[in-house]
Amino acid sequence: MQFNISNKIGKLSILIFGLFCSFLSVNAQEKISLDEDWKFHFGHASNPDKDFDYSKTALLHKSNVYATTIVNPKFVDTTWEKINVPHDWVVELPFVKSEQFEMDSHGYKPVGGAYPETSIGWYRKHFTVEKSKSNKRFELQFDGVYRNAEIWFNGFYVGTNFSGYVGNSYDVSDYINLEGDNVIVVRVDATQYEGWFYEGAGIYRHVWLNITDKVFIPQDGIFVHAKVKGKNAEVTIETTVQNNNLKNSNCSVYSYITDRNGKILAKTSEQKVALGIRKDFTVKQKLNLNTARLWSLEDPYLYKVISVVKQNNHIVHQTKTRFGIKTVQFDANKGFFLNGKKIKIQGTNNHQDHAGIGSALPDYMQYYRIKLLKEMGSNSYRASHNAPTPELLEACDSLGMLVLDEQRLLNSSPEYVDQFKRLIKRDRNHASVFLWSIGNEEQNIQGNDYGKRIAQTLLAIQEDLDPTRTSTYAADMANEFKGVNEIIPIRGFNYREFSVADYHRDHPNQPLLGTEMGSTVTTRGIYEKDSIRAYVPDQDITHPWWASKAETWWKLAAQNDYWLGGYVWTGFDYRGEPTPYKWPNISSHFGILDVCGFPKNIYYYYKSWWTNEDILHISPHWNWPEKVGKPIDVWVNSNADEVELFLNGKSLGKKKMERNSHLQWNINYEPGTLEAIGYKNGRKLTSKVETTNCATKVVAVVDKTTVLADGKDGVVVNISIVDDKGREVPVADNMIKFYISGDAKIIGVGNGDPSSHEPDKCADGTWQRSAFNGKCQVILQAGKTVGEVKLEVKSNGLSSSTVLLNLKNE
């Protein structure tokens, strides 16, 4: 009885505490988006006269001495282009043929040292701050600028962020103007590359103004982690508090945990903290959660930690951190376990660009792409080869996708150590992040003592900042041990799949992960090699010398417990790294889905064996008028036990499906219907492809019809060309035109053609894109006015289609 009474008293006190907090917490801090209303202008990397005299004028010799230069807050920028960020200026540039390798790998866009006129970008932003905030602390936060961004604020130089992938924050409290305009000036220098793939350029992630008290929790100042104990969990909350006052300050710190709906579940006591001038201190507190709900792939449940700083009985700062509770185990012989459940890692590698919009993805696109990967059966995402945008991790947290989070370079210089620290501190609270990667394919050092020593340094940093996880390294090495592999906790294999068994034999206590596998090259809807247009067949048959077919690597990974699993190169096609061709090929062929997210045939191979869904997929299409009477190679991807194939009602034979394989028939073509009937556990599955009639209509399918009127939300509209019976015409290449009315705009178009040189961006009123093998895509972004938006999709000679969207406030 005493236990029950104390329990009720505890719940009552938490309820009262929650009400108390709601009264105290009023404007304790603000996080204000600075994404809108920027001005943009190209500079010049080699001509100072075209770079606003940047290299001719002394900008660093005195503080706030800038004469009439571009960093002067009064500089006239009214003629500059008006843009919002995220912004990638490269995606708007034309394609340029070049023999330079870096141009090839970056998708033939004119950016880099050879193109000085389009490799420097200047940004300016004006905003005001209320006088009432004069006693506050002000911080500029850039989530990602590609690259080498120099930043001025009200004429004061505040810093340079070298990295194109890890953001940074700058305290600008001493420079804030409470009497008029505040002006941010950013010079972005993309003359040097960081990767060998499309990287874009510009302020391509979000920008924020953080306003806090001068006693505050700094960015990434919270670390939440948990230990599962039976059905319960012990949650540790580490809260760093900083004092930016010019005198010593006292405060108290506490935290409480809520469920996803905001119900308070547990609260720490208040801990008093004495802070010296411009000093910080970390408070470590523990809470117990009874009957903890674990974060999993099927149930990605997220709790919230509210961390609070009080002075004089007033809340001066509080933060909200979403976190998940899970257990992770890597066993060298038995495999990978999440919450005690054995799971084979079914992962994909991905770069961060998408058709039509380059690297400047709106937040909703992260969710769209992760959903597509999950539908295929993928359960893990490798952020190759750089820090992902924070919103990608939020999507993975929410949707249930494990993340292998990767450092840009295997390098222990002060610059890269700082980048690694920022990466870990930024991402360590994300439930989706289950493993770190300290680098990728550093051929000059990975097999020697340089690599070993660097890896030891980075591993020590990771262990210090995040002892709850471990690390891997993506090594394109066979059964080799010297160097990084001697000390890396999880041995990563990039390709070399036939060496995994030998390595396991020789090092049986080191868990093994396929960090990069496959690299099969396919072009959606193409079934013959075409060296003129730079296409490869859309089947699991073609790969570069270093790589393998999907079926080759996955059979090894699936059948051997000592494989933790692996990551396919890649989930999506991406701009750059055209393989096996060069120009006119401007995008990769590696994706399981193309750059728009349209599935290729290899998608159905993975979905057959990565999900429990009934899959029965026939390829190729059945429109071959030029091949009547000639043999066609027909593939069936399925997880049925056996499949029988029929052409126009005539059986072509029944075949048993070997696990993790596919079936093939060689058939003399005749138009009509090709049908497959599969049997799975006694159930009948059917699928067919038909010879279509001529194209008659454009069909538009939207991923959602209700959109937030916040200026940021949006939708993806997928376009198909169909015949009079509603069947997609698989060879259609009609030009599609888009007309939009209402408060929304088109921000990009694509079609998945890896050799298309059509523009991804068009002037208002001129948006268009040709279909590629029956499909194309248009991406919309909402405005801020509640009401209806109409998108008309038209093509000459075809019936049109209309999409209606409803913009709402909530």
Side-chain angles (χ1 to χ4, degrees):
M1 180 64 70
Q2 180 62 41
F3 173 80
N4 290 335
I5 291 174
S6 63
N7 233 13
K8 290 178 181 177
I9 292 173
K11 290 179 180 178
L12 180 61
S13 65
I14 285 177
L15 176 62
I16 293 171
F17 162 75
L19 292 172
F20 177 66
C21 284
S22 67
F23 286 117
L24 282 181
S25 179
V26 179
N27 295 326
Q29 69 282 326
E30 295 178 81
K31 187 182 181 78
I32 300 171
S33 172
L34 295 181
D35 285 354
E36 296 182 355
D37 301 323
W38 287 78
K39 298 292 187 68
F40 173 77
H41 201 291
F42 278 119
H44 203 288
S46 60
N47 185 343
D49 293 336
K50 296 181 178 180
D51 198 31
F52 303 98
D53 292 333
Y54 167 76
S55 59
K56 294 197 307 185
T57 306
L59 297 177
L60 304 174
H61 66 304
K62 296 281 187 181
S63 288
N64 205 231
V65 175
Y66 37 68
T68 58
T69 65
I70 191 172
V71 301
N72 187 328
K74 295 182 179 180
F75 178 89
V76 178
D77 55 22
T78 53
T79 62
W80 288 25
E81 180 184 359
K82 296 178 181 180
I83 59 106
N84 293 336
V85 303
H87 176 243
D88 175 1
W89 80 65
V90 176
V91 73
E92 301 184 39
L93 298 176
F95 296 98
V96 176
K97 186 177 181 180
S98 171
E99 300 302 319
Q100 182 186 352
F101 167 75
E102 287 77 14
M103 277 285 287
D104 166 333
S105 67
H106 284 74
Y108 295 102
K109 288 288 190 175
V111 66
Y115 300 91
E117 67 280 3
T118 50
S119 296
I120 301 293
W122 286 92
Y123 293 85
R124 290 173 58 86
K125 162 78 177 174
H126 298 249
F127 67 95
T128 58
V129 175
E130 298 172 7
K131 285 185 179 181
S132 60
K133 303 184 190 301
S134 60
N135 62 338
K136 296 294 185 178
R137 173 184 174 270
F138 297 87
E139 177 185 74
L140 289 178
Q141 176 185 330
F142 292 86
D143 285 348
V145 184
Y146 190 88
R147 59 169 300 279
N148 199 31
E150 295 177 87
I151 300 158
W152 287 265
F153 184 70
N154 289 339
F156 291 91
Y157 170 76
V158 296
T160 299
N161 190 24
F162 176 87
S163 171
Y165 296 103
V166 183
N168 215 342
S169 299
Y170 305 91
D171 188 328
V172 294
S173 304
D174 290 346
Y175 316 131
I176 201 76
N177 180 10
L178 300 169
E179 303 292 335
D181 263 4
N182 291 275
V183 181
I184 307 168
V185 180
V186 183
R187 183 181 190 266
V188 181
D189 183 347
T191 54
Q192 183 58 265
Y193 304 107
E194 287 191 60
W196 52 97
F197 38 84
Y198 180 88
E199 299 179 277
I203 304 177
Y204 73 103
R205 295 179 182 171
H206 296 304
V207 183
W208 307 93
L209 177 67
N210 299 318
I211 305 176
T212 69
D213 193 87
K214 292 188 178 180
V215 174
F216 64 101
I217 301 170
Q219 287 293 315
D220 310 325
I222 303 294
F223 182 26
V224 185
H225 47 98
K227 288 184 178 179
V228 176
K229 297 183 176 181
K231 293 184 178 181
N232 304 326
E234 180 185 71
V235 181
T236 300
I237 306 164
E238 300 182 34
T239 307
T240 299
V241 190
Q242 187 171 322
N243 173 32
N244 269 28
N245 283 307
L246 301 179
K247 60 181 180 180
N248 295 336
S249 295
N250 297 319
C251 66
S252 61
V253 177
Y254 64 89
S255 295
Y256 57 97
I257 298 175
T258 78
D259 66 11
R260 63 165 48 146
N261 298 316
K263 178 184 176 182
I264 297 172
L265 304 176
K267 174 189 174 295
T268 70
S269 60
E270 291 191 23
Q271 182 170 333
K272 294 182 178 180
V273 177
L275 292 167
I277 300 171
R278 304 190 76 83
K279 300 293 184 181
D280 61 50
F281 184 81
T282 299
V283 175
K284 183 181 288 189
Q285 299 170 305
K286 294 181 185 294
L287 287 172
N288 290 313
L289 278 184
N290 296 327
T291 317
R293 186 169 169 180
L294 302 187
W295 184 95
S296 67
L297 303 173
E298 303 79 17
D299 180 26
Y301 190 84
L302 296 171
Y303 292 93
K304 300 172 188 173
V305 163
I306 313 300
S307 304
V308 183
V309 180
K310 285 173 60 178
Q311 280 190 309
N312 302 320
N313 208 34
H314 292 284
I315 294 177
V316 294
H317 196 186
Q318 68 179 28
T319 63
K320 179 174 68 177
T321 305
R322 297 197 310 168
F323 76 101
I325 299 170
K326 66 181 185 294
T327 66
V328 168
Q329 181 186 358
F330 303 93
D331 188 287
N333 295 297
K334 297 179 180 179
F336 171 68
F337 295 82
L338 179 64
N339 301 328
K341 176 184 176 182
K342 184 173 180 178
I343 291 173
K344 187 72 74 170
I345 293 171
Q346 299 169 174
T348 64
N349 290 273
N350 293 283
H351 289 309
Q352 60 181 0
D353 62 296
H354 189 91
I357 48 181
S359 294
L361 271 65
D363 296 351
Y364 64 87
M365 287 301 300
Q366 307 295 347
Y367 290 82
Y368 181 79
R369 286 163 61 90
I370 295 302
K371 285 179 181 177
L372 291 179
L373 294 174
K374 278 202 63 119
E375 288 169 3
M376 182 183 72
S378 180
N379 58 25
S380 194
Y381 183 107
R382 178 178 171 222
S384 43
H385 307 286
N386 48 261
T389 189
E391 290 73 30
L392 180 277
L393 298 180
E394 291 171 7
C396 292
D397 289 345
S398 297
L399 298 176
M401 175 74 74
L402 293 166
V403 175
L404 173 53
D405 207 343
E406 188 158 271
Q407 163 78 338
R408 179 65 208 90
L409 283 182
L410 184 71
N411 190 312
S412 56
S413 69
E415 171 61 37
Y416 286 101
V417 162
D418 182 54
Q419 289 185 27
F420 192 43
K421 287 180 176 179
R422 280 185 277 157
L423 172 69
I424 292 175
K425 292 176 73 175
R426 188 197 72 172
D427 294 351
R428 61 188 177 180
N429 292 319
H430 285 283
S432 56
V433 176
F434 80 117
L435 185 63
W436 302 104
S437 170
I438 62 172
N440 172 77
E441 293 187 4
E442 299 280 3
Q443 292 92 346
N444 286 348
I445 58 175
Q446 62 190 9
N448 58 38
D449 283 343
Y450 286 128
K452 179 180 177 180
R453 293 197 297 267
I454 293 168
Q456 286 174 319
T457 297
L458 296 179
L459 288 173
I461 292 168
Q462 180 256 294
E463 176 68 22
D464 176 54
L465 294 178
D466 181 15
T468 70
R469 297 179 179 88
T470 190
S471 290
T472 187
Y473 166 77
D476 54 337
M477 304 167 73
N479 186 13
E480 303 167 59
F481 190 61
K482 185 177 180 181
V484 176
N485 292 336
E486 295 179 61
I487 48 87
I488 198 72
I490 310 292
R491 165 69 209 271
F493 277 86
N494 280 15
Y495 314 105
R496 317 298 192 268
E497 63 277 356
F498 292 112
S499 299
V500 176
D502 291 341
Y503 190 94
H504 176 66
R505 177 199 63 210
D506 297 340
H507 310 284
N509 297 319
Q510 191 176 26
L512 310 178
L513 175 63
T515 39
E516 210 163 293
M517 290 286 141
S519 274
T520 313
V521 285
T522 60
T523 309
R524 178 180 58 78
I526 298 294
Y527 292 94
E528 293 180 343
K529 182 178 179 181
D530 186 339
S531 58
I532 303 300
R533 294 184 296 172
Y535 298 146
V536 285
D538 190 11
Q539 302 290 17
D540 186 19
I541 57 177
T542 310
H543 60 81
W545 65 266
W546 69 82
S548 75
K549 295 186 293 184
E551 221 167 288
T552 301
W553 88 268
W554 179 245
K555 282 184 177 178
L556 294 171
Q559 295 168 6
N560 292 288
D561 287 344
Y562 56 80
W563 279 71
L564 301 174
Y567 295 84
V568 183
W569 190 267
T570 51
F572 293 88
D573 277 346
Y574 54 93
R575 183 66 50 80
E577 275 199 303
T579 307
Y581 304 109
K582 305 302 181 187
W583 182 272
N585 186 191
I586 47 82
S587 287
S588 82
H589 293 82
F590 295 116
I592 301 170
L593 305 110
D594 68 19
V595 290
C596 294
F598 297 136
K600 306 180 189 179
N601 285 319
I602 203 169
Y603 169 96
Y604 298 96
Y605 170 76
Y606 284 111
K607 189 164 186 174
S608 293
W609 307 113
W610 283 9
T611 75
N612 293 320
E613 295 180 36
D614 293 339
I615 306 299
L616 184 59
H617 175 76
I618 308 169
S619 58
H621 59 76
W622 212 238
N623 283 31
W624 302 101
E626 75 282 8
K627 291 192 175 185
V628 174
K630 296 179 181 179
I632 298 283
D633 198 24
V634 174
W635 289 47
V636 172
N637 286 114
S638 179
N639 48 20
D641 302 321
E642 58 183 9
V643 177
E644 187 172 8
L645 197 64
F646 297 84
L647 178 57
N648 294 326
K650 180 182 177 181
S651 176
L652 302 174
K654 183 184 292 185
K655 297 186 179 185
K656 289 187 176 181
M657 177 66 73
E658 178 189 344
R659 187 161 181 80
N660 300 311
S661 298
H662 74 283
L663 298 177
Q664 280 182 251
W665 283 260
N666 194 262
I667 301 169
N668 289 332
Y669 176 76
E670 62 181 62
T673 300
L674 188 64
E675 183 177 23
I677 297 179
Y679 299 90
K680 182 179 179 183
N681 299 324
R683 290 180 290 106
K684 182 179 178 180
L685 316 177
T686 62
S687 179
K688 65 181 179 181
V689 292
E690 295 179 299
T691 307
T692 71
N693 298 324
C694 295
T696 61
K697 185 177 181 179
V698 182
V699 174
V701 178
V702 66
D703 66 316
K704 58 185 178 181
T705 56
T706 300
V707 186
L708 290 176
D710 61 358
K712 297 179 181 294
D713 197 10
V715 296
V716 177
V717 185
N718 291 326
I719 313 300
S720 296
I721 309 298
V722 302
D723 69 3
D724 55 347
K725 294 183 178 180
R727 300 171 298 190
E728 184 172 286
V729 180
V731 293
D733 60 359
N734 307 63
M735 179 60 71
I736 315 297
K737 296 181 182 293
F738 306 100
Y739 304 92
I740 194 165
S741 59
D743 192 14
K745 61 182 179 180
I746 300 171
I747 60 171
V749 289
N751 62 10
D753 181 352
S755 295
S756 174
H757 295 178
E758 295 177 38
D760 296 295
K761 306 280 188 179
C762 304
D764 288 344
T766 66
W767 284 94
Q768 64 179 28
R769 191 66 182 235
S770 62
F772 177 62
N773 293 328
K775 296 179 183 292
C776 67
Q777 184 177 84
V778 56
I779 302 172
L780 310 183
Q781 192 159 28
K784 296 183 178 181
T785 305
V786 171
E788 187 176 80
V789 168
K790 181 168 71 172
L791 175 73
E792 294 180 274
V793 183
K794 299 182 178 182
S795 182
N796 289 338
L798 304 181
S799 298
S800 62
S801 185
T802 300
V803 170
L804 297 178
L805 302 177
N806 186 16
L807 269 60
K808 290 187 173 183
N809 285 330
E810 293 182 358

